Amino acid sequence: DVKVTQSSRYLVKRTGEKVFLECVQDMDHENMFWYRQDPGLGLRLIYFSYDVKMKEKGDIPEGYSVSREKKERFSLILESASTNQTSMYLCASSLRDEGFSGNTIYFGEGSWLTVV
Amino acid sequence: AQTVTQSQPEMSVQEAETVTLSCTYDTSESDYYLFWYKQPPSRQMILVIRQEAYKQQNATENRFSVNFQKAAKSFSLKISDSQLGDAAMYFCAYRSSWENKLVFGAGTILRVKS
């Protein structure tokens, strides 16, 4: 089975702190994603990566950055945390799509971040 | 940009009954994928069912089936013989054929009554 592991389930950070959310997948997937989940808004894409050292902005990248130095690891960075970044963060991964195969995207269990 | 709309914030169903969750989407593309994901209280998102837009036949997975109406841009999920373990948040999601990212709806909370 595919395993997407988010290192922290629950974090509480202070406003202005630098925050790292780590995600590791064990299935050699090329694609990795960070989503943010908020009530009534569903999941919104923050950043994604197609390969090592590659990154693409999603729909809500402001206030966030990412790092992908190794294929299996994709980190989400909040340079200066703010209270409006209190949310559930979900990491996901999938194989690169070769042709019209529609590879399934697999999710981690989520990291609940509270910024006070 | 593609959008996905789930108009039912909450739904309830009696155990062993059938329930249908609604989803509509907006796209100008002809080739794409549609998904239903389940998110139980543990928060692990689980793929329930997927549909390729080029397939006319509706997808089924055991008690789960979809009604895919491409012209109407509608993709509803039917759960038959509902079980207590079906209680969760359900998300409808769209994926373009040329992109790897998913676009999600706002979700529907399904409550199952015993």
Side-chain angles (χ1 to χ4, degrees):
Chain A
D1 282 351
V2 175
K3 185 81 172 171
V4 180
T5 303
Q6 295 181 232
S7 56
S8 303
R9 290 298 306 275
Y10 302 95
L11 304 94
V12 180
K13 298 292 181 180
R14 295 193 181 276
T15 300
E17 273 194 81
K18 189 170 186 176
V19 181
F20 291 87
L21 299 180
E22 305 287 346
C23 175
V24 176
Q25 50 91 6
D26 66 356
M27 286 301 291
D28 205 32
H29 285 173
E30 291 85 5
N31 302 325
M32 295 189 76
F33 309 84
W34 276 105
Y35 283 88
R36 171 176 171 162
Q37 182 178 353
D38 298 288
L41 297 176
L43 279 73
R44 293 176 292 167
L45 183 63
I46 305 171
Y47 266 97
F48 59 103
S49 170
Y50 290 138
D51 206 342
V52 176
K53 297 192 184 297
M54 288 186 60
K55 59 185 179 183
E56 297 271 350
K57 291 181 179 179
D59 300 316
I60 52 165
E62 296 78 17
Y64 304 94
S65 63
V66 290
S67 173
R68 193 160 180 207
E69 296 297 320
K70 293 184 177 181
K71 190 175 185 180
E72 67 271 18
R73 186 181 297 271
F74 192 37
S75 303
L76 179 69
I77 305 158
L78 288 67
E79 294 290 341
S80 178
S82 64
T83 55
N84 63 11
Q85 292 178 309
T86 291
S87 188
M88 167 67 75
Y89 291 88
L90 287 164
C91 177
S93 72
S94 73
L95 286 167
R96 177 179 294 134
D97 222 19
E98 302 295 341
F100 198 66
S101 57
N103 290 312
T104 298
I105 295 177
Y106 298 89
F107 286 84
E109 291 185 325
S111 297
W112 181 258
L113 173 66
T114 301
V115 183
V116 298
Chain B
Q2 296 85 10
T3 59
V4 177
T5 302
Q6 293 178 250
S7 59
Q8 306 153 317
E10 288 190 32
M11 293 283 285
S12 291
V13 62
Q14 199 69 32
E15 203 174 1
E17 298 294 311
T18 296
V19 65
T20 298
L21 308 184
S22 301
C23 174
T24 59
Y25 57 95
D26 186 27
T27 184
S28 58
E29 299 174 345
S30 58
D31 292 328
Y32 48 87
Y33 308 94
L34 295 165
F35 304 84
W36 278 98
Y37 276 88
K38 171 185 176 182
Q39 187 182 48
S42 68
R43 293 283 176 177
Q44 182 81 53
M45 293 273 280
I46 304 164
L47 177 65
V48 175
I49 199 165
R50 58 177 277 164
Q51 174 82 41
E52 289 84 354
Y54 66 87
K55 290 186 178 179
Q56 292 186 339
Q57 186 174 5
N58 289 323
T60 62
E61 287 288 340
N62 301 313
R63 298 183 294 109
F64 299 87
S65 61
V66 299
N67 183 5
F68 173 48
Q69 302 288 329
K70 191 172 184 178
K73 296 180 183 175
S74 171
F75 183 61
S76 60
L77 175 69
K78 186 172 82 170
I79 306 174
S80 304
D81 185 25
S82 296
Q83 300 175 1
L84 294 177
D86 295 333
M89 174 81 87
Y90 286 82
F91 290 99
C92 178
Y94 169 99
R95 217 206 84 181
S96 168
S97 62
W98 57 276
E99 283 188 310
N100 286 282
K101 63 179 184 179
L102 290 171
V103 177
F104 285 87
T108 297
I109 297 172
L110 177 66
R111 305 189 193 282
V112 180
K113 302 174 183 176
S114 59

